Amino acid sequence: MNPYWLDIIYLFSSVTFILGLKMLSNPEKARKGNLYAAFGMTVAIFGTIFLHETEHEVQPVNYILIFAALALGTVVGLVTAKKVQMTRMPELVSIFNGMGGACAALISIIEVNHMIEQMDNDPIAQLPETAGAMTGTILAILAGLVIGSVSFSGSIIAFLKLKGTLNKPIRLPKYNILNTAIMIIIFAFAAWILLGGQELSMVYIYALFAMALIYGVMFVLPIGGADMPVVISLLNSFTGLAAAFGGFLYDNQVMLTGGILVGSAGTLLTIVMCKAMNRPLSNVIFGAFGESGSAASREVSGNIKEISVSDAAVLMNYSSKVIIVPGYGLAVAQAQHVIHELENIMVDRGVEVKYAIHPVAGRMPGHMNVLLAESNVAYEKLAEMEEVNPEFANTDVVLVVGANDVVNPAAHNDPSSPIFGMPILDVENAKHIIVNKRSMSAGYAGIENELFYNPKTSMLFGDAKSALTKLLEELKAL
Amino acid sequence: MNQILDFLGENMEMIYILILSIFVGVEVIGHVPSVLHTPLMSGANAIHGVVIIGAIIVMQNAEPDNVTAITLGFVSVFLGTLNVVGGFAVTDRMLEMFKKKK
């Protein structure tokens, strides 16, 4: 068959990737866009299996193994994707990202192994034609190896952190200097392998692999759990880069375009997320968050006022406008459905109800929207921060459920606070604020919230699901 | 230095693709509303699973008696598939939830 067929297929796939990403940024077309990209990927995979010209005849056993791995991966991937709870989404994205990174790293290892075998068998004939090509090939291999490994081990740590297994940032003394030193050593070692002139050996490759894995771990360990979305987004673009280097290695355009698209879109997304938290990326990576936070920010004092469920129900029932501020606590308690019922009953009673969504509510930007959409909350009811903030002043009751840092006024008025400058929801402008929380413990950033001591605030303690269920019953009885 | 110049010169077309793709990537998601950040991240995550193509090529080139290459190749095709299939499936599940409310 004409060898250009595969190139045409790759061209087609690249277009579907661009189109898919483009459509993913429009709520109406997003789902179709995702399917387009998935179709393009499928075509590229099968095109490669059947049309790629290989160095020698491919043994049947290799084909059997390829199909076995594809089938196994498809089954495991589909089952995991179907079963995962929506609250666990960030963890899943993180783990899938790690798999991609590991895949890129393994390709590099096998490729070196392959090159060495070839050179042993036939030292002269198998060498690439020019020194430039040789250097380029090894450069692409090493870059894919290092970036893929960092992405893999980093994603695994991020996964463990989101899961809660590793919930405290672990900081070795002088970790910034240590990490920078490891990075420099990796670069120097890679440069030496590339340009040192000695014979390529698997030992070097395994050593580089190990160092990159260690770096990935050290890179993510000191970063607090609240920043994991940013880290995952960053690692996502790393894996994209690793895939792009694979494209250089095989002169494969679809790997290059796919990888670079994700690399650059992922980098932009990372920056957008940092902006939503009003923190420069360097701040996330080199960690100022929560490090001196609780000690440095000022003490909050005052009285906490509790409210009973029945009082809260009465207050909400006779309001004309209620804004609900959902946080991750809501999702952890699986109370999304209860809150939707609560919203319905209030709407029936003639109360105007809205949800105010902070850009980083949940564990990833937009995560809360997904969670509420899952429990059938209408899209129009979800208001973004900028549009809802002016509305708090004429709101009777704000119900804060499981959110903390995103409503902390310290972001406006306490320059010593680690979250100072972060845009927040100005709930304190409302007439009444009801905060549902399990206890008085600090939020994810580990800082006190003076909102809870505001005279207009009343606390409704308890697990979000049980507290809201009781509230719902009271409301029904009214 | 000469090696690097050689490398750049021989791969000029790829470098053009690279640079243009960077701009396309930035442009394409420039105006994404924050509602869609999670599905976008997840969708992009699936797209970089294109690295599986490399894993398949590696598998095709592997000599069946090279146990290291075959084993690692099998694992990498598996991991790549997981990235692709899981990524697209989970993105679809998320977006489906947005859709039915319309």
Side-chain angles (χ1 to χ4, degrees), chain A residues 6-155:
Chain A
L6 189 57
D7 287 328
I8 304 286
I9 287 175
Y10 285 160
L11 176 67
F12 170 76
S13 303
S14 303
V15 174
T16 63
F17 294 165
I18 299 173
L19 214 60
L21 267 186
K22 174 92 194 153
M23 290 165 83
L24 269 171
S25 57
N26 177 337
E28 308 265 314
K29 299 181 188 156
R31 195 170 177 205
K32 243 189 210 162
N34 183 54
L35 291 178
Y36 284 177
F39 179 69
M41 185 72 79
T42 315
V43 174
I45 289 174
F46 286 100
T48 309
I49 293 177
F50 294 115
L51 301 176
H52 180 70
E53 287 198 359
T54 48
E55 296 161 14
H56 50 79
E57 192 70 28
V58 181
Q59 304 294 320
V61 60
N62 291 32
Y63 274 126
I64 293 170
L65 286 172
I66 290 175
F67 280 111
L70 276 175
L72 198 61
T74 307
V75 171
V76 176
L78 278 181
V79 169
T80 327
K82 279 268 177 304
K83 278 202 170 158
V84 68
Q85 288 177 349
M86 280 295 150
T87 42
R88 300 252 164 255
M89 191 62 64
E91 289 162 43
L92 196 69
V93 173
S94 173
I95 206 89
F96 284 150
N97 183 50
M99 298 303 105
C103 180
L106 288 180
I107 291 172
S108 291
I109 293 178
I110 304 165
E111 205 49 46
V112 176
N113 174 293
H114 189 63
M115 278 173 80
I116 292 175
E117 287 230 331
Q118 277 188 332
M119 280 192 257
D120 284 350
N121 291 345
D122 197 354
I124 301 153
Q126 299 289 347
L127 276 176
E129 293 112 48
T130 68
M134 185 68 184
T135 315
T137 305
I138 299 178
L139 176 70
I141 289 176
L142 296 182
L145 174 68
V146 171
I147 301 171
S149 318
V150 169
S151 181
F152 168 64
S153 60
S155 296

Side-chain angles (χ1 to χ4, degrees), chain A residues 170-220:
Chain A
I170 299 165
R171 296 196 167 97
L172 296 170
K174 307 247 188 271
Y175 66 92
N176 274 336
I177 300 173
L178 197 63
N179 282 3
T180 315
I182 298 180
M183 192 162 70
I184 293 172
I185 294 174
I186 290 177
F187 271 119
F189 189 53
W192 178 77
I193 297 176
L194 187 64
L195 305 167
Q198 69 285 18
E199 224 173 278
L200 202 56
S201 149
M202 281 316 278
V203 179
Y204 305 148
I205 297 302
Y206 287 130
L208 194 65
F209 179 48
M211 279 193 256
L213 286 180
I214 292 171
Y215 181 74
V217 172
M218 304 272 292
F219 171 66
V220 181

Side-chain angles (χ1 to χ4, degrees), chain A residues 400-412:
Chain A
V400 179
V401 188
N404 190 344
D405 298 325
V406 298
V407 292
N408 192 341
H412 284 326

Side-chain angles (χ1 to χ4, degrees), chain A residues 31 34 48-49 52 56 59 62 81-82 84 97 99-100 103 107 113 130 136 236 247 250 262 264-265 273 365 373, chain B residues 7 10 14 21-22 25 29 35 37-38 41 44 48 55 58-62 64 66 76 79 83 88 92-93 101:
Chain A
R31 195 170 177 205
N34 183 54
T48 309
I49 293 177
H52 180 70
H56 50 79
Q59 304 294 320
N62 291 32
K82 279 268 177 304
V84 68
N97 183 50
M99 298 303 105
C103 180
I107 291 172
N113 174 293
T130 68
N236 199 11
Y250 298 115
V262 176
S264 70
M273 282 187 203
Chain B
F7 171 66
E10 285 156 18
M14 294 294 265
S21 297
I22 292 176
I29 70 144
V35 197
H37 280 176
T38 297
M41 198 203 280
H48 72 46
V58 149
M59 245 343 229
Q60 288 173 333
N61 289 339
N66 185 342
S76 67
L79 295 179
N83 187 181
F88 281 122
D92 186 60
R93 217 185 119 194
K101 247 64 60 193

